[in-house]
Amino acid sequence: MAKVPSAVVAAGGLVGGYGVARWTKKRPLGGAVLAVAGAAAARQWRERAGGPAAGALTAAYVVAFAGSHPLAKRVGAWPAVFSAAGAVGLASWAVADRRR
């Protein structure tokens, strides 16, 4: 069975987490989606690129999530989320998925 690329898992976690939080009006539920996807992506990063790369990509995931909040005040919520997801997805592909 083919695995979903870690870039898709990470970007999907950011978009999905925000979407769930917004549509259900339950921020903790969105946070759970964000955390589960982040953990799944981190496991893939560790398997594919090693521990230090997984740590750096996990930090980028958290920074992108946090950075999307102030960015949303300037460009809007969805554009900020898509920008953060795109940045994390690109970094994930470059570090972990491109090798496959």
Side-chain angles (χ1 to χ4, degrees):
M1 177 187 241
K3 281 191 173 184
V4 175
S6 62
V8 174
V9 174
L14 289 164
V15 172
Y18 176 69
V20 166
R22 182 171 178 128
W23 288 316
T24 65
K25 300 193 183 339
K26 299 194 183 312
R27 293 179 72 179
L29 188 56
V33 170
L34 181 81
V36 168
R43 192 183 95 248
Q44 287 182 315
W45 293 329
R46 188 175 54 254
E47 290 172 1
R48 295 177 183 178
L57 288 168
T58 300
Y61 185 79
V62 172
V63 167
F65 166 69
S68 69
H69 290 81
L71 181 60
K73 292 179 182 182
R74 294 183 179 266
V75 299
W78 280 111
V81 170
F82 286 130
S83 296
V88 169
L90 182 60
S92 180
W93 174 81
V95 174
D97 295 334
R98 180 174 53 166
R99 299 175 187 184
R100 295 227 164 238

